[in-house]
């Protein structure tokens, strides 16, 4: 079974990235589900998802975690397993993962991933698939959060847009707090198949994705070859 993840630096919905994810399913009109837990299910964010989906050939769904047993008769596992692709939004990574763990959503996502459902997202929605990275989910300063380790590398979103992200990511890899891993500028994405890089795509020539690792005590930053999509 082919296991796929598409991650990009910004949590903003874009037609090219969601179309790419939809095409990766191999379905003519796939079921695409947005999970906006990290934003507290922000209504404008959900509306922007529907707006983007109206421009591509998908059946859009939104999965809420603020539910009650009287009104919702489908389990989270059932909802997720019936999708062709899952896109996770940006926001508070730490809170999102805590809710998912409490509800068993992390396990449902892993089962779906192993069964070929395409996973993806940006910002918190990209960080969650890796073993760890830096997050602004706690007070005062950026800190480290552990992810679900679908891809056993670290990750850094917002690589070119938030000035503290890049140096802190390098520092954490140098100190051993984070493993080597992948970074994405806001408008760049990496498509993984079976935990290996399949390709990198960007929305313009100024945004890139990188593999960042330690060699002889120094940080090495390899810019991944990419294609521009629109």
């Amino acid at each position: 079974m082919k296991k796929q993840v598409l991650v990009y630096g910004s949590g903003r919905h874009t037609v090219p990235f969601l179309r790419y994810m939809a095409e990766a399913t191999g379905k003519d009109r796939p079921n695409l589900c947005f999970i906006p837990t990290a934003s507290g299910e922000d209504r404008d964010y959900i509306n922007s998802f529907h707006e983007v989906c109206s421009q591509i050939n998908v059946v859009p769904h939104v999965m809420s975690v603020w539910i009650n047993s009287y009104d919702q008769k489908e389990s989270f596992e059932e909802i997720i397993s019936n999708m062709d692709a899952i896109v996770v939004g940006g926001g508070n990574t730490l809170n999102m993962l805590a809710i998912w763990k409490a509800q068993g959503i992390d396990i449902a996502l892993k089962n779906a991933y192993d069964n070929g459902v395409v996973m993806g997202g940006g910002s918190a929605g990209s960080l969650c698939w890796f073993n760890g990275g830096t997050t602004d989910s706690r007070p005062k300063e950026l800190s480290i959060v552990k992810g679900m380790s679908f891809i056993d590398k670290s990750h850094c979103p917002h690589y070119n847009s938030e000035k503290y992200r890049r140096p802190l990511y390098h520092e954490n890899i140098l100190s051993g707090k984070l493993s080597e891993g992948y970074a994405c500028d806001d408008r760049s994405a990496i498509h993984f198949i079976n935990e290996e890089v399949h390709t990198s795509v960007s929305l313009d020539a100024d945004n890139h994705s990188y593999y960042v690792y330690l060699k002889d005590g120094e940080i090495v930053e390899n810019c991944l070859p990419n294609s521009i999509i629109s």
Side-chain angles (χ1 to χ4, degrees):
M1 185 66 69
K2 186 161 64 173
K3 299 187 288 188
Q4 301 185 77
V5 179
L6 179 75
V7 298
Y8 38 92
S10 170
R12 182 180 178 184
H13 297 302
T14 68
V15 169
F17 288 158
L18 291 193
R19 182 190 291 121
Y20 187 104
M21 184 179 294
E23 291 174 350
T25 69
K27 304 287 183 66
D28 290 335
R29 193 163 183 257
N31 288 301
L32 176 61
C33 184
F34 177 40
I35 306 183
T37 313
S39 67
E41 301 184 0
D42 179 79
R43 178 50 52 184
D44 289 340
Y45 202 7
I46 293 170
N47 289 342
S48 74
F49 169 72
H50 284 294
E51 170 61 26
V52 167
C53 286
S54 72
Q55 301 173 62
I56 58 179
N57 194 29
V58 298
V59 180
H61 303 262
V62 176
M63 194 183 88
S64 173
V65 298
W66 276 269
I67 55 88
N68 65 67
S69 304
Y70 301 107
D71 297 328
Q72 181 159 317
K73 300 306 180 185
E74 276 188 301
S75 69
F76 293 125
E77 174 90 28
E78 288 168 333
I79 294 169
I80 290 167
S81 65
N82 286 324
M83 297 302 152
D84 300 301
I86 301 286
V87 57
V88 176
N92 190 302
T93 312
L94 191 70
N95 291 356
M96 175 184 76
L97 290 171
I99 290 170
W100 285 1
K101 186 175 180 61
Q103 292 278 17
I105 293 170
D106 54 343
I107 296 170
L109 288 168
K110 183 61 164 64
N111 289 339
Y113 170 68
D114 289 341
N115 286 313
V117 177
V118 178
M119 302 292 164
S123 190
S126 61
L127 179 53
C128 64
W129 311 111
F130 295 85
N131 64 22
T134 53
T135 179
D136 56 7
S137 298
R138 295 183 176 95
K140 295 183 68 173
E141 60 188 12
L142 295 178
S143 58
I144 289 175
V145 64
K146 291 184 178 180
M148 297 184 292
S149 296
F150 289 19
I151 299 168
D152 194 17
K153 301 287 184 181
S154 68
H155 178 58
C156 182
H158 306 298
Y159 206 51
N160 64 339
S161 63
E162 298 181 6
K163 64 180 182 179
Y164 298 110
R165 293 275 183 173
R166 193 179 207 139
L168 184 59
Y169 189 49
H170 291 184
E171 178 184 316
N172 284 328
I173 292 175
L174 277 167
S175 68
K177 292 179 181 177
L178 290 175
S179 71
E180 60 192 38
Y182 295 92
C184 291
D185 291 341
D186 272 4
R187 293 167 62 82
S188 188
I190 307 173
H191 180 195
F192 294 88
I193 297 179
N194 297 331
E195 301 179 32
E196 299 291 336
V197 175
H198 174 64
T199 190
S200 176
V201 294
S202 296
L203 303 183
D204 57 50
D206 297 324
N207 282 259
H208 304 278
S209 296
Y210 305 86
Y211 185 58
V212 185
Y213 62 98
L214 198 59
K215 183 178 180 181
D216 299 328
E218 301 287 338
I219 287 289
V220 179
E221 189 180 77
N222 283 349
C223 184
L224 302 179
N226 70 348
S227 303
I228 296 175
I229 59 174
S230 59

